[in-house]
Short mmCIF file of all heavy atoms in Angstrom, two decimals:
data_model
loop_
_atom_site.label_atom_id
_atom_site.label_comp_id
_atom_site.label_asym_id
_atom_site.label_seq_id
_atom_site.Cartn_x
_atom_site.Cartn_y
_atom_site.Cartn_z
N PHE X 94 -69.36 -152.30 130.24
CA PHE X 94 -69.89 -151.22 131.06
C PHE X 94 -68.84 -150.16 131.31
O PHE X 94 -69.02 -148.98 131.02
CB PHE X 94 -70.38 -151.77 132.41
CG PHE X 94 -71.64 -152.55 132.32
CD1 PHE X 94 -71.61 -153.92 132.07
CD2 PHE X 94 -72.87 -151.93 132.50
CE1 PHE X 94 -72.79 -154.64 131.99
CE2 PHE X 94 -74.05 -152.65 132.42
CZ PHE X 94 -74.01 -154.00 132.16
N THR X 95 -67.69 -150.59 131.87
CA THR X 95 -66.72 -149.61 132.36
C THR X 95 -66.18 -148.72 131.25
O THR X 95 -65.89 -147.55 131.49
CB THR X 95 -65.56 -150.30 133.10
OG1 THR X 95 -64.98 -151.27 132.23
CG2 THR X 95 -66.04 -150.99 134.37
N SER X 96 -66.08 -149.26 130.03
CA SER X 96 -65.57 -148.41 128.95
C SER X 96 -66.65 -147.49 128.38
O SER X 96 -66.38 -146.68 127.49
CB SER X 96 -64.97 -149.28 127.83
OG SER X 96 -66.00 -150.08 127.28
N ASN X 97 -67.88 -147.61 128.90
CA ASN X 97 -68.96 -146.75 128.41
C ASN X 97 -69.55 -145.85 129.49
O ASN X 97 -70.63 -145.26 129.29
CB ASN X 97 -70.07 -147.62 127.77
CG ASN X 97 -69.63 -148.18 126.44
OD1 ASN X 97 -69.24 -147.42 125.54
ND2 ASN X 97 -69.65 -149.50 126.30
N ILE X 98 -68.84 -145.73 130.59
CA ILE X 98 -69.29 -144.80 131.63
C ILE X 98 -69.22 -143.40 131.03
O ILE X 98 -68.22 -143.04 130.41
CB ILE X 98 -68.41 -144.88 132.89
CG1 ILE X 98 -68.44 -146.29 133.48
CG2 ILE X 98 -68.81 -143.84 133.94
CD1 ILE X 98 -69.57 -146.62 134.40
N GLY X 99 -70.30 -142.64 131.19
CA GLY X 99 -70.34 -141.28 130.65
C GLY X 99 -70.94 -141.22 129.24
O GLY X 99 -71.16 -140.14 128.69
N LYS X 100 -71.23 -142.41 128.68
CA LYS X 100 -71.79 -142.42 127.32
C LYS X 100 -73.26 -142.81 127.34
O LYS X 100 -73.79 -143.26 128.35
CB LYS X 100 -71.00 -143.41 126.46
CG LYS X 100 -69.54 -143.03 126.33
CD LYS X 100 -68.83 -143.91 125.33
CE LYS X 100 -67.35 -143.54 125.33
NZ LYS X 100 -66.53 -144.63 124.83
N THR X 101 -73.89 -142.67 126.16
CA THR X 101 -75.34 -142.92 126.08
C THR X 101 -75.63 -144.38 125.81
O THR X 101 -75.07 -144.98 124.90
CB THR X 101 -75.95 -142.05 124.95
OG1 THR X 101 -75.68 -140.69 125.24
CG2 THR X 101 -77.47 -142.25 124.88
N VAL X 102 -76.54 -144.92 126.63
CA VAL X 102 -76.95 -146.31 126.49
C VAL X 102 -78.47 -146.38 126.54
O VAL X 102 -79.12 -145.44 126.99
CB VAL X 102 -76.35 -147.19 127.61
CG1 VAL X 102 -74.82 -147.19 127.56
CG2 VAL X 102 -76.84 -146.73 128.98
N THR X 103 -79.00 -147.50 126.08
CA THR X 103 -80.43 -147.75 126.24
C THR X 103 -80.61 -149.09 126.95
O THR X 103 -80.07 -150.11 126.51
CB THR X 103 -81.16 -147.79 124.88
OG1 THR X 103 -80.98 -146.55 124.23
CG2 THR X 103 -82.66 -148.06 125.07
N VAL X 104 -81.35 -149.06 128.03
CA VAL X 104 -81.56 -150.26 128.83
C VAL X 104 -82.97 -150.77 128.61
O VAL X 104 -83.94 -150.01 128.63
CB VAL X 104 -81.35 -149.97 130.33
CG1 VAL X 104 -81.52 -151.23 131.16
CG2 VAL X 104 -79.98 -149.36 130.57
N ARG X 105 -83.08 -152.08 128.39
CA ARG X 105 -84.40 -152.71 128.32
C ARG X 105 -84.60 -153.43 129.66
O ARG X 105 -83.76 -154.22 130.07
CB ARG X 105 -84.42 -153.70 127.16
CG ARG X 105 -85.71 -154.48 127.04
CD ARG X 105 -85.54 -155.62 126.03
NE ARG X 105 -86.41 -156.72 126.35
CZ ARG X 105 -87.56 -156.99 125.71
NH1 ARG X 105 -87.96 -156.23 124.70
NH2 ARG X 105 -88.29 -158.03 126.06
N ALA X 106 -85.71 -153.12 130.34
CA ALA X 106 -85.91 -153.66 131.69
C ALA X 106 -87.40 -153.80 131.99
O ALA X 106 -88.24 -153.35 131.22
CB ALA X 106 -85.26 -152.72 132.71
N VAL X 107 -87.68 -154.42 133.13
CA VAL X 107 -89.04 -154.39 133.66
C VAL X 107 -89.00 -153.50 134.90
O VAL X 107 -88.02 -153.51 135.64
CB VAL X 107 -89.58 -155.80 133.99
CG1 VAL X 107 -89.63 -156.66 132.74
CG2 VAL X 107 -88.78 -156.49 135.08
N PRO X 108 -90.03 -152.69 135.12
CA PRO X 108 -89.96 -151.69 136.19
C PRO X 108 -90.20 -152.28 137.57
O PRO X 108 -90.77 -153.35 137.72
CB PRO X 108 -91.10 -150.72 135.83
CG PRO X 108 -92.09 -151.55 135.08
CD PRO X 108 -91.30 -152.61 134.35
N GLY X 109 -89.75 -151.53 138.58
CA GLY X 109 -90.02 -151.91 139.96
C GLY X 109 -91.48 -151.72 140.30
O GLY X 109 -92.18 -150.95 139.64
#
Side-chain angles (χ1 to χ4, degrees):
Chain X
F94 288 88
T95 55
S96 63
N97 288 304
I98 300 276
K100 298 188 184 158
T101 301
V102 298
T103 301
V104 182
R105 176 191 152 102
V107 299

